[in-house]
Amino acid sequence: MRTTVRRHLGKVVAGTAIAVAATAVMVGITLPGTAGADDTGGGKDGQSTRQAAGQQRGDTAAVQPGVVEQAPAEGTKGEGRDPLTDDEITRVEKIALSRQQFNASEDVDGDRGPQRLGVDLAEPAADEVDDPEAPRRAVVSFYDYKDDALVTKTVNLDTGKVEGTGTQHGVQPPLSAAEQTEAASLLIADPLGAGLKADFKDATGKQLTSPDQLQLASMIYRAVPGAEPAVLDKCGEHRCVRLLPKVRNGPWIDARSLVIDLSTRKVARLTG
């Protein structure tokens, strides 16, 4: 049984086309005062060379050690096109998510409140591009697993008000770290994760029991007619992912044939 699973899932990918060949080049360096050391003797030329070397040693000794200055403290509010500060991010997340929306939505774990995806500085309006006094705005993105919807809120950082709300279905931005971790947990717990766990044990000699043992990357998966079992037909409308797991400080493991539907919390193997 294990042999069958691993034939589908693939052996540990040692390097996975990421090994890079490197060539070391030895470079000979002639230090001041050493060239022709055997033939300078105590003559005038030799004395000049020694004086030059001594001068260089004196100059080197006079160089003071560098001082690393601390980065300036981050303010609570940025200006113009400055990146959002931590305080601004925290503030706009609270403004964007009303109590009603929090109670009516779910995150990737099924808990109340939508899944936070990110906060970005909004582009200025067309008539504000050259206006130095244009207000700063932030766009907050959430994914509501209850309705399978991407929700975005545009918040004016100057007034503290929500100026725009967007709700889209079938739009699947990259996964957050929390979503990747949950996808890995579902895969490890599923019978189809047996090959992943077997490859991990081959690579480390240890049992794979937690996503914390892996480094994770991911790709959004959309349904392709005829290329998957029926259970994945709604991928794209649902939030589906293929994981690219890597043993921490070790090799990659090929799990691309497996798809995790985070909306239904099911795992399936591609057939096409």
Side-chain angles (χ1 to χ4, degrees), residues 231-256:
V231 70
L232 299 178
D233 282 349
K234 288 187 176 294
C235 286
E237 177 185 340
H238 289 180
R239 196 147 171 79
C240 299
V241 59
R242 288 197 289 180
L243 288 177
L244 307 174
K246 182 181 183 297
V247 177
R248 287 193 176 276
N249 302 315
W252 293 88
I253 298 176
D254 188 357
R256 291 171 295 177

PDB file of all heavy atoms in Angstrom, residues 231-256:
ATOM      1  N   VAL A 231     -15.023  15.668  -7.010  1.00  0.00           N
ATOM      2  CA  VAL A 231     -14.976  16.386  -5.740  1.00  0.00           C
ATOM      3  C   VAL A 231     -14.255  17.733  -5.882  1.00  0.00           C
ATOM      4  O   VAL A 231     -14.436  18.629  -5.045  1.00  0.00           O
ATOM      5  CB  VAL A 231     -14.296  15.519  -4.658  1.00  0.00           C
ATOM      6  CG1 VAL A 231     -12.801  15.366  -4.929  1.00  0.00           C
ATOM      7  CG2 VAL A 231     -14.534  16.091  -3.265  1.00  0.00           C
ATOM      8  N   LEU A 232     -13.469  17.900  -6.941  1.00  0.00           N
ATOM      9  CA  LEU A 232     -12.726  19.148  -7.144  1.00  0.00           C
ATOM     10  C   LEU A 232     -13.358  20.051  -8.208  1.00  0.00           C
ATOM     11  O   LEU A 232     -12.759  21.042  -8.609  1.00  0.00           O
ATOM     12  CB  LEU A 232     -11.276  18.841  -7.540  1.00  0.00           C
ATOM     13  CG  LEU A 232     -10.445  18.059  -6.522  1.00  0.00           C
ATOM     14  CD1 LEU A 232      -9.047  17.793  -7.071  1.00  0.00           C
ATOM     15  CD2 LEU A 232     -10.358  18.819  -5.199  1.00  0.00           C
ATOM     16  N   ASP A 233     -14.559  19.718  -8.663  1.00  0.00           N
ATOM     17  CA  ASP A 233     -15.184  20.485  -9.741  1.00  0.00           C
ATOM     18  C   ASP A 233     -15.416  21.950  -9.385  1.00  0.00           C
ATOM     19  O   ASP A 233     -15.490  22.802 -10.271  1.00  0.00           O
ATOM     20  CB  ASP A 233     -16.530  19.850 -10.129  1.00  0.00           C
ATOM     21  CG  ASP A 233     -16.351  18.615 -10.999  1.00  0.00           C
ATOM     22  OD1 ASP A 233     -15.213  18.391 -11.467  1.00  0.00           O
ATOM     23  OD2 ASP A 233     -17.338  17.867 -11.192  1.00  0.00           O
ATOM     24  N   LYS A 234     -15.543  22.267  -8.114  1.00  0.00           N
ATOM     25  CA  LYS A 234     -15.829  23.642  -7.712  1.00  0.00           C
ATOM     26  C   LYS A 234     -14.577  24.437  -7.341  1.00  0.00           C
ATOM     27  O   LYS A 234     -14.683  25.569  -6.863  1.00  0.00           O
ATOM     28  CB  LYS A 234     -16.818  23.653  -6.535  1.00  0.00           C
ATOM     29  CG  LYS A 234     -18.238  23.265  -6.926  1.00  0.00           C
ATOM     30  CD  LYS A 234     -19.187  23.470  -5.770  1.00  0.00           C
ATOM     31  CE  LYS A 234     -20.625  23.179  -6.180  1.00  0.00           C
ATOM     32  NZ  LYS A 234     -21.123  24.156  -7.178  1.00  0.00           N
ATOM     33  N   CYS A 235     -13.409  23.840  -7.535  1.00  0.00           N
ATOM     34  CA  CYS A 235     -12.178  24.574  -7.236  1.00  0.00           C
ATOM     35  C   CYS A 235     -12.074  25.803  -8.134  1.00  0.00           C
ATOM     36  O   CYS A 235     -12.178  25.710  -9.358  1.00  0.00           O
ATOM     37  CB  CYS A 235     -10.963  23.664  -7.438  1.00  0.00           C
ATOM     38  SG  CYS A 235     -10.756  22.439  -6.138  1.00  0.00           S
ATOM     39  N   GLY A 236     -11.842  26.924  -7.519  1.00  0.00           N
ATOM     40  CA  GLY A 236     -11.904  28.212  -8.208  1.00  0.00           C
ATOM     41  C   GLY A 236     -13.047  29.013  -7.612  1.00  0.00           C
ATOM     42  O   GLY A 236     -12.878  30.160  -7.210  1.00  0.00           O
ATOM     43  N   GLU A 237     -14.210  28.364  -7.526  1.00  0.00           N
ATOM     44  CA  GLU A 237     -15.304  28.919  -6.723  1.00  0.00           C
ATOM     45  C   GLU A 237     -14.982  28.660  -5.251  1.00  0.00           C
ATOM     46  O   GLU A 237     -15.153  29.533  -4.408  1.00  0.00           O
ATOM     47  CB  GLU A 237     -16.619  28.254  -7.105  1.00  0.00           C
ATOM     48  CG  GLU A 237     -17.802  28.708  -6.264  1.00  0.00           C
ATOM     49  CD  GLU A 237     -19.069  27.951  -6.581  1.00  0.00           C
ATOM     50  OE1 GLU A 237     -19.158  27.355  -7.678  1.00  0.00           O
ATOM     51  OE2 GLU A 237     -19.979  27.946  -5.723  1.00  0.00           O
ATOM     52  N   HIS A 238     -14.508  27.436  -4.967  1.00  0.00           N
ATOM     53  CA  HIS A 238     -13.975  27.116  -3.645  1.00  0.00           C
ATOM     54  C   HIS A 238     -12.505  27.502  -3.604  1.00  0.00           C
ATOM     55  O   HIS A 238     -11.853  27.672  -4.626  1.00  0.00           O
ATOM     56  CB  HIS A 238     -14.107  25.613  -3.363  1.00  0.00           C
ATOM     57  CG  HIS A 238     -15.507  25.158  -3.126  1.00  0.00           C
ATOM     58  ND1 HIS A 238     -15.842  23.845  -2.865  1.00  0.00           N
ATOM     59  CD2 HIS A 238     -16.682  25.847  -3.094  1.00  0.00           C
ATOM     60  CE1 HIS A 238     -17.141  23.735  -2.691  1.00  0.00           C
ATOM     61  NE2 HIS A 238     -17.677  24.938  -2.829  1.00  0.00           N
ATOM     62  N   ARG A 239     -11.977  27.594  -2.404  1.00  0.00           N
ATOM     63  CA  ARG A 239     -10.565  27.947  -2.217  1.00  0.00           C
ATOM     64  C   ARG A 239      -9.747  26.659  -2.132  1.00  0.00           C
ATOM     65  O   ARG A 239      -9.696  26.001  -1.083  1.00  0.00           O
ATOM     66  CB  ARG A 239     -10.403  28.789  -0.953  1.00  0.00           C
ATOM     67  CG  ARG A 239      -9.067  29.532  -0.865  1.00  0.00           C
ATOM     68  CD  ARG A 239      -9.282  30.843  -0.158  1.00  0.00           C
ATOM     69  NE  ARG A 239      -8.077  31.559   0.188  1.00  0.00           N
ATOM     70  CZ  ARG A 239      -7.347  32.287  -0.664  1.00  0.00           C
ATOM     71  NH1 ARG A 239      -7.693  32.334  -1.946  1.00  0.00           N
ATOM     72  NH2 ARG A 239      -6.287  32.959  -0.259  1.00  0.00           N
ATOM     73  N   CYS A 240      -9.103  26.293  -3.241  1.00  0.00           N
ATOM     74  CA  CYS A 240      -8.362  25.043  -3.339  1.00  0.00           C
ATOM     75  C   CYS A 240      -6.876  25.326  -3.541  1.00  0.00           C
ATOM     76  O   CYS A 240      -6.498  26.319  -4.166  1.00  0.00           O
ATOM     77  CB  CYS A 240      -8.883  24.202  -4.503  1.00  0.00           C
ATOM     78  SG  CYS A 240     -10.631  23.733  -4.370  1.00  0.00           S
ATOM     79  N   VAL A 241      -6.065  24.403  -3.052  1.00  0.00           N
ATOM     80  CA  VAL A 241      -4.622  24.660  -3.065  1.00  0.00           C
ATOM     81  C   VAL A 241      -3.841  23.374  -3.290  1.00  0.00           C
ATOM     82  O   VAL A 241      -4.251  22.285  -2.870  1.00  0.00           O
ATOM     83  CB  VAL A 241      -4.192  25.318  -1.718  1.00  0.00           C
ATOM     84  CG1 VAL A 241      -4.536  24.429  -0.542  1.00  0.00           C
ATOM     85  CG2 VAL A 241      -2.707  25.627  -1.713  1.00  0.00           C
ATOM     86  N   ARG A 242      -2.710  23.508  -3.965  1.00  0.00           N
ATOM     87  CA  ARG A 242      -1.702  22.447  -4.032  1.00  0.00           C
ATOM     88  C   ARG A 242      -0.499  22.925  -3.230  1.00  0.00           C
ATOM     89  O   ARG A 242      -0.003  24.032  -3.437  1.00  0.00           O
ATOM     90  CB  ARG A 242      -1.291  22.165  -5.477  1.00  0.00           C
ATOM     91  CG  ARG A 242      -2.365  21.459  -6.263  1.00  0.00           C
ATOM     92  CD  ARG A 242      -1.823  20.829  -7.537  1.00  0.00           C
ATOM     93  NE  ARG A 242      -1.464  21.821  -8.529  1.00  0.00           N
ATOM     94  CZ  ARG A 242      -0.969  21.526  -9.732  1.00  0.00           C
ATOM     95  NH1 ARG A 242      -0.754  20.268 -10.059  1.00  0.00           N
ATOM     96  NH2 ARG A 242      -0.686  22.485 -10.585  1.00  0.00           N
ATOM     97  N   LEU A 243      -0.031  22.088  -2.343  1.00  0.00           N
ATOM     98  CA  LEU A 243       1.092  22.451  -1.485  1.00  0.00           C
ATOM     99  C   LEU A 243       2.416  22.014  -2.107  1.00  0.00           C
ATOM    100  O   LEU A 243       2.500  21.003  -2.814  1.00  0.00           O
ATOM    101  CB  LEU A 243       0.949  21.797  -0.119  1.00  0.00           C
ATOM    102  CG  LEU A 243      -0.132  22.364   0.809  1.00  0.00           C
ATOM    103  CD1 LEU A 243      -0.169  21.548   2.100  1.00  0.00           C
ATOM    104  CD2 LEU A 243       0.113  23.830   1.116  1.00  0.00           C
ATOM    105  N   LEU A 244       3.454  22.798  -1.814  1.00  0.00           N
ATOM    106  CA  LEU A 244       4.825  22.480  -2.189  1.00  0.00           C
ATOM    107  C   LEU A 244       5.619  22.373  -0.881  1.00  0.00           C
ATOM    108  O   LEU A 244       6.248  23.333  -0.443  1.00  0.00           O
ATOM    109  CB  LEU A 244       5.405  23.570  -3.094  1.00  0.00           C
ATOM    110  CG  LEU A 244       4.575  23.915  -4.334  1.00  0.00           C
ATOM    111  CD1 LEU A 244       5.182  25.110  -5.055  1.00  0.00           C
ATOM    112  CD2 LEU A 244       4.484  22.721  -5.264  1.00  0.00           C
ATOM    113  N   PRO A 245       5.568  21.220  -0.217  1.00  0.00           N
ATOM    114  CA  PRO A 245       6.211  21.076   1.092  1.00  0.00           C
ATOM    115  C   PRO A 245       7.702  20.785   0.976  1.00  0.00           C
ATOM    116  O   PRO A 245       8.156  20.144   0.023  1.00  0.00           O
ATOM    117  CB  PRO A 245       5.466  19.898   1.713  1.00  0.00           C
ATOM    118  CG  PRO A 245       5.039  19.073   0.537  1.00  0.00           C
ATOM    119  CD  PRO A 245       4.801  20.023  -0.591  1.00  0.00           C
ATOM    120  N   LYS A 246       8.427  21.232   1.964  1.00  0.00           N
ATOM    121  CA  LYS A 246       9.867  21.011   2.031  1.00  0.00           C
ATOM    122  C   LYS A 246      10.240  20.643   3.464  1.00  0.00           C
ATOM    123  O   LYS A 246       9.765  21.259   4.413  1.00  0.00           O
ATOM    124  CB  LYS A 246      10.621  22.272   1.606  1.00  0.00           C
ATOM    125  CG  LYS A 246      12.143  22.147   1.602  1.00  0.00           C
ATOM    126  CD  LYS A 246      12.775  23.474   1.177  1.00  0.00           C
ATOM    127  CE  LYS A 246      14.290  23.383   1.075  1.00  0.00           C
ATOM    128  NZ  LYS A 246      14.917  23.071   2.371  1.00  0.00           N
ATOM    129  N   VAL A 247      11.048  19.615   3.609  1.00  0.00           N
ATOM    130  CA  VAL A 247      11.564  19.276   4.938  1.00  0.00           C
ATOM    131  C   VAL A 247      12.423  20.432   5.419  1.00  0.00           C
ATOM    132  O   VAL A 247      13.234  20.968   4.661  1.00  0.00           O
ATOM    133  CB  VAL A 247      12.414  17.986   4.884  1.00  0.00           C
ATOM    134  CG1 VAL A 247      13.008  17.682   6.261  1.00  0.00           C
ATOM    135  CG2 VAL A 247      11.581  16.821   4.372  1.00  0.00           C
ATOM    136  N   ARG A 248      12.228  20.862   6.649  1.00  0.00           N
ATOM    137  CA  ARG A 248      13.039  21.965   7.164  1.00  0.00           C
ATOM    138  C   ARG A 248      14.518  21.565   7.109  1.00  0.00           C
ATOM    139  O   ARG A 248      14.910  20.523   7.638  1.00  0.00           O
ATOM    140  CB  ARG A 248      12.639  22.321   8.595  1.00  0.00           C
ATOM    141  CG  ARG A 248      11.301  23.039   8.686  1.00  0.00           C
ATOM    142  CD  ARG A 248      11.076  23.652  10.048  1.00  0.00           C
ATOM    143  NE  ARG A 248       9.833  24.408  10.098  1.00  0.00           N
ATOM    144  CZ  ARG A 248       9.702  25.663   9.708  1.00  0.00           C
ATOM    145  NH1 ARG A 248      10.750  26.307   9.235  1.00  0.00           N
ATOM    146  NH2 ARG A 248       8.540  26.286   9.786  1.00  0.00           N
ATOM    147  N   ASN A 249      15.311  22.420   6.435  1.00  0.00           N
ATOM    148  CA  ASN A 249      16.739  22.140   6.240  1.00  0.00           C
ATOM    149  C   ASN A 249      16.964  20.831   5.495  1.00  0.00           C
ATOM    150  O   ASN A 249      17.961  20.137   5.707  1.00  0.00           O
ATOM    151  CB  ASN A 249      17.482  22.093   7.582  1.00  0.00           C
ATOM    152  CG  ASN A 249      17.349  23.389   8.352  1.00  0.00           C
ATOM    153  OD1 ASN A 249      17.499  24.470   7.789  1.00  0.00           O
ATOM    154  ND2 ASN A 249      17.055  23.293   9.646  1.00  0.00           N
ATOM    155  N   GLY A 250      16.004  20.476   4.635  1.00  0.00           N
ATOM    156  CA  GLY A 250      16.110  19.230   3.892  1.00  0.00           C
ATOM    157  C   GLY A 250      15.513  19.353   2.503  1.00  0.00           C
ATOM    158  O   GLY A 250      15.321  20.453   1.992  1.00  0.00           O
ATOM    159  N   PRO A 251      15.178  18.224   1.879  1.00  0.00           N
ATOM    160  CA  PRO A 251      14.705  18.220   0.495  1.00  0.00           C
ATOM    161  C   PRO A 251      13.227  18.586   0.360  1.00  0.00           C
ATOM    162  O   PRO A 251      12.468  18.568   1.330  1.00  0.00           O
ATOM    163  CB  PRO A 251      14.940  16.766   0.064  1.00  0.00           C
ATOM    164  CG  PRO A 251      14.761  15.989   1.343  1.00  0.00           C
ATOM    165  CD  PRO A 251      15.344  16.860   2.421  1.00  0.00           C
ATOM    166  N   TRP A 252      12.860  18.880  -0.882  1.00  0.00           N
ATOM    167  CA  TRP A 252      11.449  19.087  -1.219  1.00  0.00           C
ATOM    168  C   TRP A 252      10.780  17.721  -1.327  1.00  0.00           C
ATOM    169  O   TRP A 252      11.419  16.712  -1.630  1.00  0.00           O
ATOM    170  CB  TRP A 252      11.319  19.815  -2.553  1.00  0.00           C
ATOM    171  CG  TRP A 252      11.829  21.221  -2.524  1.00  0.00           C
ATOM    172  CD1 TRP A 252      13.106  21.632  -2.767  1.00  0.00           C
ATOM    173  CD2 TRP A 252      11.082  22.402  -2.247  1.00  0.00           C
ATOM    174  NE1 TRP A 252      13.210  23.000  -2.651  1.00  0.00           N
ATOM    175  CE2 TRP A 252      11.985  23.499  -2.336  1.00  0.00           C
ATOM    176  CE3 TRP A 252       9.750  22.654  -1.939  1.00  0.00           C
ATOM    177  CZ2 TRP A 252      11.578  24.816  -2.125  1.00  0.00           C
ATOM    178  CZ3 TRP A 252       9.340  23.966  -1.728  1.00  0.00           C
ATOM    179  CH2 TRP A 252      10.253  25.021  -1.813  1.00  0.00           C
ATOM    180  N   ILE A 253       9.459  17.700  -1.129  1.00  0.00           N
ATOM    181  CA  ILE A 253       8.670  16.487  -1.322  1.00  0.00           C
ATOM    182  C   ILE A 253       7.589  16.811  -2.352  1.00  0.00           C
ATOM    183  O   ILE A 253       6.901  17.824  -2.242  1.00  0.00           O
ATOM    184  CB  ILE A 253       8.031  16.004  -0.002  1.00  0.00           C
ATOM    185  CG1 ILE A 253       9.116  15.661   1.017  1.00  0.00           C
ATOM    186  CG2 ILE A 253       7.137  14.798  -0.246  1.00  0.00           C
ATOM    187  CD1 ILE A 253       8.579  15.259   2.382  1.00  0.00           C
ATOM    188  N   ASP A 254       7.464  15.957  -3.338  1.00  0.00           N
ATOM    189  CA  ASP A 254       6.520  16.213  -4.423  1.00  0.00           C
ATOM    190  C   ASP A 254       5.106  15.807  -3.999  1.00  0.00           C
ATOM    191  O   ASP A 254       4.798  14.619  -3.875  1.00  0.00           O
ATOM    192  CB  ASP A 254       6.942  15.433  -5.662  1.00  0.00           C
ATOM    193  CG  ASP A 254       6.121  15.809  -6.888  1.00  0.00           C
ATOM    194  OD1 ASP A 254       5.182  16.642  -6.772  1.00  0.00           O
ATOM    195  OD2 ASP A 254       6.420  15.285  -7.961  1.00  0.00           O
ATOM    196  N   ALA A 255       4.239  16.805  -3.784  1.00  0.00           N
ATOM    197  CA  ALA A 255       2.842  16.541  -3.410  1.00  0.00           C
ATOM    198  C   ALA A 255       1.888  17.237  -4.377  1.00  0.00           C
ATOM    199  O   ALA A 255       0.738  17.499  -4.041  1.00  0.00           O
ATOM    200  CB  ALA A 255       2.583  17.015  -1.979  1.00  0.00           C
ATOM    201  N   ARG A 256       2.371  17.512  -5.590  1.00  0.00           N
ATOM    202  CA  ARG A 256       1.574  18.308  -6.530  1.00  0.00           C
ATOM    203  C   ARG A 256       0.327  17.598  -7.026  1.00  0.00           C
ATOM    204  O   ARG A 256      -0.592  18.249  -7.532  1.00  0.00           O
ATOM    205  CB  ARG A 256       2.447  18.710  -7.722  1.00  0.00           C
ATOM    206  CG  ARG A 256       3.530  19.722  -7.384  1.00  0.00           C
ATOM    207  CD  ARG A 256       4.495  19.911  -8.546  1.00  0.00           C
ATOM    208  NE  ARG A 256       5.232  18.680  -8.812  1.00  0.00           N
ATOM    209  CZ  ARG A 256       6.101  18.538  -9.813  1.00  0.00           C
ATOM    210  NH1 ARG A 256       6.307  19.548 -10.642  1.00  0.00           N
ATOM    211  NH2 ARG A 256       6.742  17.398  -9.991  1.00  0.00           N
TER     212      ARG A 256
END
